[in-house]
Amino acid sequence: MRIDVISIFPEIFDSIKSYGITAKALNKSLWMLNIWNPRLFAKYPNYRVDDRPYGGGPGMVMLAEPLEKTIEAIKKDRLCYEKKIDIPIIYLTPAGKTFNNTIANDLSTKDGLIIICGRYEGIDQRLIDKYVNLELSIGDFILSGGEIAAIAIIDSIIRFLPGVLNDKESALQDSFGAKISGLLDTPHYTRPRIYNGINVPDILLNGNHKDISQWRKMQSIKITKKRRPDLLLKK
Ligand code: SAM
């Protein structure tokens, strides 16, 4: 999968390229990441990417033109490698559909993604109307820019790509996964057996996999009932 991100702060993406599972998968060429800075497509001599909002009010708005030129450059670049371009163009915004595991899984099956990170008050609506086919939010709070939202979304999508996780069952066993019927994950324990005077639950030590699996299922239901009863109602 090839992901193209549009951001005026490309360095923020160094983390996802350099650490953990996403970095390992990148090194194995299981996915590709290109960051495009719209400032490079802005007009000489100021290279402005923002301007004041029509109608007044606080803050600035990202200009449509540098973003349009960036999107067109990405499309042209992709066409050098691919016959047809059918990839979602995503704008990250608090007004978007709330991102979740189902959307992550679905997006992981696409040939690629173009993700636009907003800054300031957001981007000119005319750019959204012309190009964007999916608006996503990562929750009911305001970030200063779309970069952190993009990193969160990309990380969760990459986990679904074949070959990324060592144990391919792992993604399905995490919270919201198919293996645990979309519920929350069970508690986990590791060594030592007694920590600060507290024992690991006996059942995890008896080696009976059927009992352990049953216990984990019950824990998962218990914690979901307590913290996210909405997930049980969905079923
Ligand atoms: N004026 C916008 C509003 O009230 O909806 C907020 C703009 S925010 C300061 C700047 C940028 O951060 C947005 O254009 C968007 O790309 C990103 N952003 C902020 N919160 C977000 C969220 N919860 N989910 C996804 N992106 C977000």
Side-chain angles (χ1 to χ4, degrees), residues 4-231:
D4 293 279
V5 174
I6 302 174
S7 162
I8 58 167
F9 295 121
E11 294 80 9
I12 296 180
F13 292 87
D14 289 350
S15 62
I16 198 166
K17 289 196 238 168
S18 311
Y19 300 102
I21 285 170
T22 50
K24 269 193 202 154
L26 205 56
N27 289 335
K28 285 201 241 165
S29 302
L30 296 174
W31 70 296
M32 277 172 71
L33 179 64
N34 299 313
I35 315 292
W36 300 73
N37 189 342
R39 212 174 280 287
L40 302 178
F41 297 87
K43 277 194 186 127
Y44 175 84
N46 295 322
Y47 301 103
R48 279 188 79 147
V49 291
D50 63 314
D51 210 332
R52 282 171 303 188
Y54 275 119
M60 304 294 268
V61 176
M62 286 184 87
L63 294 164
E65 192 182 338
L67 292 171
E68 170 152 23
K69 285 185 173 161
T70 314
I71 293 171
E72 290 302 333
I74 294 172
K75 285 184 163 183
K76 213 167 148 193
D77 186 59
R78 294 192 68 120
L79 277 172
C80 300
Y81 305 99
E82 298 158 10
K83 285 206 182 71
K84 68 176 175 88
I85 289 277
D86 180 22
I87 48 174
I89 300 185
I90 300 167
Y91 173 48
L92 299 170
T93 163
K97 190 172 172 182
T98 307
F99 185 71
N100 61 29
N101 225 32
T102 310
I103 300 175
N105 197 353
D106 179 42
L107 292 178
S108 75
T109 64
K110 309 282 179 200
D111 295 330
L113 307 169
I114 296 175
I115 301 176
I116 308 169
C117 300
R119 279 272 154 181
Y120 318 115
E121 287 307 317
I123 67 182
D124 191 308
Q125 185 61 38
R126 291 166 293 184
L127 188 284
I128 300 173
D129 294 343
K130 181 166 179 191
Y131 285 103
V132 172
N133 35 44
L134 180 60
E135 295 184 52
L136 291 176
S137 162
I138 61 162
D140 291 350
F141 48 84
I142 302 298
L143 297 162
S144 317
E147 287 78 6
I148 289 171
I151 288 173
I153 283 175
I154 292 169
D155 187 311
S156 70
I157 292 170
I158 296 309
R159 293 173 63 80
F160 282 107
L161 295 181
V164 168
L165 297 181
N166 288 336
D167 180 353
K168 64 174 188 246
E169 293 283 284
S170 182
L172 305 175
Q173 272 176 11
D174 284 328
S175 294
F176 320 113
K179 263 258 161 130
I180 57 169
S181 313
L183 303 184
L184 298 178
D185 196 7
T186 181
H188 299 280
Y189 298 88
T190 185
R191 278 184 273 212
R193 192 168 162 170
I194 303 171
Y195 180 68
N196 282 347
I198 303 166
N199 271 299
V200 168
D202 284 342
I203 196 149
L204 298 177
L205 307 169
N206 76 6
N208 183 328
H209 294 293
K210 208 169 149 208
D211 285 357
I212 292 172
S213 160
Q214 190 60 26
W215 180 84
R216 285 185 168 148
K217 208 181 257 174
M218 289 315 296
Q219 295 300 312
S220 177
I221 293 171
K222 208 166 125 188
I223 195 167
T224 306
K225 215 172 183 176
K226 196 167 163 200
R227 298 192 188 170
R228 291 291 305 275
D230 57 302
L231 296 176

